[in-house]
Amino acid sequence: MAQTPVTVLTGYLGAGKTTLLNRILSEEHGKKYAVIVNEFGEIGIDNDLIVGADEEVFEMNNGCVCCTVRGDLIRVVQGLMKRQTRGGGGFDGIVIETTGLADPGPVAQTFFVDEEVRSKAKLDSVTTVVDAKHILLRLSDSREAAEQIAFADQIVLNKTDLVSEGDLALIEARLRRLNPLAPIHRATRSNVPLDAILGRGGFDLDRILTLEPEFLNPAHGEAGHVHDEHCDDDHDHGHDHGHEHHHHDHEHDDDIKGVALTLDKPVDAQKITAWLNDLLARQGPDILRAKGILNVKGDERRLVFQAVHMILEGDFQRDWKAGENRTSRMVFIGRNLDEALLRVGFQSCAA
């Protein structure tokens, strides 16, 4: 049976998650979604705000989605999948709306750690909705707001009509320092095109790289950017300056940042596995996301991996194409990351 795609909607309180969810449920897209709402507190209110649609809403009142709630989430998803199997109210996907105070990490982990859920449902992507009017204030006083942004596969920058163009540029630069990989979609009243949110395959790294070959290559002026024949020469002059600026501004982001690493030599399979396992065992709670594509010595296939906190998953996917650049690339997004130490560790995995 094909795995049912799961989209996680997250974002700080009042960012516009429920508005986006209502659009998913009410727009004419020809698909049916089951919805899981996780509301903070004993009495959920979001359920009353969600438009009357054919889709059923499953509510979890446990508040914070963490290890204790993961069991409840597993039970809800298992119940949905049983209904799907029996043909009682089929659906094309599942949308999970987390509470505004939730760390999306444990929600994502659910789809890796439970075998029954994993066999029937597949995490498609994590979308974070950001309130453009208040996000800079939230980033100064909320660890959760920064982590939600750092964790995202795509970011909906909402309420852009309340902010000047100059301020929007500053906000987007700040968001990219927290998460250099996630595309940013500007929106008012969460009016982002739904095909930018649903069916993205944000956790299917091979698919992303087919669509966006530069996905693992941070933008010009950002740390870790790899210059090649496609780069304009006039950008090179300011690269070091941009790197320096990028580094110092992280102090304002509670030390969350993205670190991009590249290695031109093939990697040794045992060395890279041991290094990643050790790194995640020691720093897993601080590593929100990690993704990479590796050129493993002795294998003609690309090894694609990703990690969510301390959970690591990887497998060999398609063959390297003739003439394709076999550079190994990985990106870590997390807190208190030592870029120099990560670089040395990655280089030590060369075959």
Side-chain angles (χ1 to χ4, degrees), residues 8-13 17 37-41 60 62-67 69 73 96-108 126-129 142-152 288 309:
V8 176
L9 292 183
T10 187
Y12 206 73
L13 300 166
K17 297 187 301 298
V37 178
N38 191 153
E39 180 56 36
F40 189 78
M60 295 164 46
N62 315 60
C64 181
V65 176
C66 57
C67 295
V69 174
L73 181 57
I96 300 175
E97 182 190 6
T98 72
T99 165
L101 297 173
D103 169 9
V107 179
V126 176
T127 294
T128 298
V129 185
S142 167
R143 176 186 177 118
E144 292 87 357
E147 289 190 345
Q148 289 166 357
I149 291 164
F151 205 89
L288 304 176
H309 290 304

Side-chain angles (χ1 to χ4, degrees), residues 54-328:
D54 292 336
E55 290 80 353
E56 274 197 71
V57 176
F58 300 84
E59 189 162 10
M60 295 164 46
N61 287 328
N62 315 60
C64 181
V65 176
C66 57
C67 295
T68 55
V69 174
R70 189 184 291 149
D72 291 339
L73 181 57
I74 288 171
R75 282 191 289 276
V76 172
V77 173
Q78 286 175 341
L80 284 173
M81 303 321 295
K82 285 173 183 169
R83 289 182 42 183
Q84 184 91 308
T85 306
R86 289 196 301 264
F91 46 87
D92 300 291
I94 298 172
V95 179
I96 300 175
E97 182 190 6
T98 72
T99 165
L101 297 173
D103 169 9
V107 179
Q109 287 175 317
T110 302
F111 297 92
F112 295 94
V113 299
D114 184 83
E115 284 303 320
E116 184 177 350
V117 168
R118 182 174 177 155
S119 67
K120 297 173 182 174
K122 180 178 184 179
L123 186 61
D124 183 76
S125 62
V126 176
T127 294
T128 298
V129 185
V130 171
D131 177 352
K133 177 74 172 174
H134 299 108
I135 188 57
L136 295 182
L137 179 61
R138 291 287 75 80
L139 287 175
S140 68
D141 63 16
S142 167
R143 176 186 177 118
E144 292 87 357
E147 289 190 345
Q148 289 166 357
I149 291 164
F151 205 89
D153 293 302
Q154 56 264 333
I155 296 168
V156 176
L157 183 55
N158 200 28
K159 306 185 184 181
T160 54
D161 54 325
L162 305 179
V163 180
S164 71
E165 183 63 34
D167 284 344
L168 277 176
L170 291 173
I171 290 166
E172 288 183 344
R174 182 76 172 274
L175 297 180
R176 287 196 183 97
R177 288 199 296 275
L178 283 168
N179 188 332
L181 299 182
I184 299 171
H185 308 284
R186 293 187 180 186
T188 57
R189 297 177 181 82
S190 298
N191 65 344
V192 64
L194 292 185
D195 59 5
I197 305 301
L198 303 170
R200 289 290 296 163
F203 267 77
D204 183 349
L205 192 58
D206 205 51
R207 176 180 179 275
I208 291 176
L209 288 161
T210 300
L211 297 173
E212 305 174 48
E214 290 296 294
F215 180 75
L216 285 180
N217 193 10
H220 279 285
E222 297 294 328
H225 175 71
V226 178
H227 293 282
D228 57 26
E229 67 273 14
H230 303 297
C231 292
D232 297 327
D233 289 336
D234 59 352
H235 283 96
D236 288 349
H237 175 70
H239 182 66
D240 288 336
H241 175 74
H243 184 295
E244 183 181 341
H245 179 66
H246 167 92
H247 176 76
H248 289 310
D249 274 358
H250 283 312
E251 293 170 3
H252 304 294
D253 292 330
D254 199 16
D255 293 326
I256 289 181
K257 64 177 178 180
V259 174
L261 306 173
T262 61
L263 190 62
D264 291 329
K265 302 173 184 175
V267 298
D268 180 279
Q270 290 184 320
K271 287 181 182 177
I272 194 74
T273 301
W275 177 65
L276 284 171
N277 284 335
D278 177 66
L279 180 66
L280 293 174
R282 288 185 293 104
Q283 291 185 257
D286 286 333
I287 296 175
L288 304 176
R289 294 285 291 275
K291 302 183 180 188
I293 285 200
L294 303 173
N295 176 22
V296 177
K297 183 178 181 180
D299 204 298
E300 288 302 310
R301 297 167 298 171
R302 310 190 315 169
L303 178 62
V304 177
F305 87 91
Q306 58 182 316
V308 176
H309 290 304
M310 302 170 89
I311 295 176
L312 176 67
E313 175 183 81
D315 56 21
F316 285 101
Q317 297 191 357
R318 69 165 174 80
D319 288 356
W320 292 96
K321 295 176 183 175
E324 187 174 7
N325 181 1
R326 291 198 178 194
T327 298
S328 293

